[in-house]
Amino acid sequence: MSPLEEEGIKGGWLRPAVFGAMDGLVSNIALIAGVAAGAAAAGADQTKTVILAGFAGLIAGALSMAAGEYVSVVSQRNLLSKQARSSSDATELHSFVSSQVNPVVAALSSFASFSAGAIIPLLPYLFGAEVVLYSAVLTAIALFITGATVGWITDEHWLRAGSRQLMLGAAAGAATHILGTITGGVLS
C-alpha cells in the first residue's frame, strides 16, 4: 500500500473536504455577518432574515462547490489522460489518475464538508440568538480548530495553520459586516 493510501486520501476526498469546510465556514459567517448588520441597520427582523439567508447560502454554496469540484476533477482527469497518451510513463500515470482522482467522491466530499462548515455560523440563530456575536465566536473557534487540524494532518505547525485560517475568516466576516451596516443604513 502506498503512503497516500495509508493516509486515507485515496479517491481524492481530502482536498475538497478541507476546501469545502473552510469555504463553508468563511462564506456563511461572512454572509451572516453582512445580512445581520444590514438587517439591524435597516430595522428589519435580524433572526428570521439571517436564518433564511444562512440556509440559502448553505444550499447554494454546497451545490456550487459540489458541481465545481466534479467539473474540476473531470477536467483534471481528462488533461492527465491526454498527457498520459504522449508520455513514456503512460501506464503508470493512467493508473494513478484512475485510482486517486474520483470526481463523484470529490463532489460528495465537497458538498458534505461545505454543508458542515456552513451550518456552524447558523447554529446560534437556530437556537434563538438575536445578534451575530455568538455566530462569530462559534465560527472563530471552528476556524481555528479546522485550520489547526489541517496543519496537524499536513505537518504544518498547528498554531500557525489555525491562526491563519482564523485571521482570514475574521477578515471576511468583518468586511461584510461593515458593508452590511453601510448598505442597511442606506436602505433604511
Side-chain angles (χ1 to χ4, degrees), residues 26-170:
V26 173
S27 66
N28 229 24
I29 190 58
L31 175 66
I32 287 169
V35 168
D45 181 339
Q46 191 179 137
T47 302
K48 289 179 183 176
T49 304
V50 166
I51 289 173
L52 177 62
F55 272 117
L58 186 156
I59 297 301
L63 291 172
S64 176
M65 290 287 292
E69 193 64 46
Y70 182 85
V71 170
S72 173
V73 171
V74 167
S75 299
Q76 178 185 5
R77 286 181 76 162
N78 290 344
L79 178 61
L80 290 173
S81 293
K82 177 183 175 184
Q83 292 172 339
R85 289 191 294 273
S86 63
S87 172
S88 58
D89 295 330
T91 305
E92 183 179 327
L93 183 57
H94 180 71
S95 175
F96 173 76
V97 170
S98 298
S99 68
Q100 297 297 318
V101 183
N102 182 322
V104 173
V105 169
L108 291 174
S109 177
S110 185
F111 181 91
S113 62
F114 183 95
S115 297
I119 195 71
I120 290 172
L122 193 53
L123 287 174
Y125 282 94
L126 295 176
F127 287 103
E130 296 180 358
V131 294
V132 75
L133 176 65
Y134 302 109
S135 291
V137 169
L138 185 60
T139 302
I141 292 166
L143 284 165
F144 183 82
I145 290 171
T146 305
T149 301
V150 170
W152 177 72
I153 290 169
T154 61
D155 285 337
E156 181 179 2
H157 192 276
W158 65 270
L159 184 58
R160 180 176 47 241
S163 297
R164 177 182 57 229
Q165 191 57 40
L166 173 58
M167 288 187 301
L168 292 170

Side-chain angles (χ1 to χ4, degrees), residues 4-41:
L4 290 177
E5 292 169 331
E6 289 173 13
E7 290 293 325
I9 59 171
K10 186 174 180 180
W13 65 265
L14 181 62
R15 188 192 61 78
V18 170
F19 184 53
M22 297 297 193
D23 194 33
L25 282 164
V26 173
S27 66
N28 229 24
I29 190 58
L31 175 66
I32 287 169
V35 168

Side-chain angles (χ1 to χ4, degrees), residues 168-185:
L168 292 170
T176 57
H177 191 272
I178 292 166
L179 292 172
T181 300
I182 293 168
T183 304

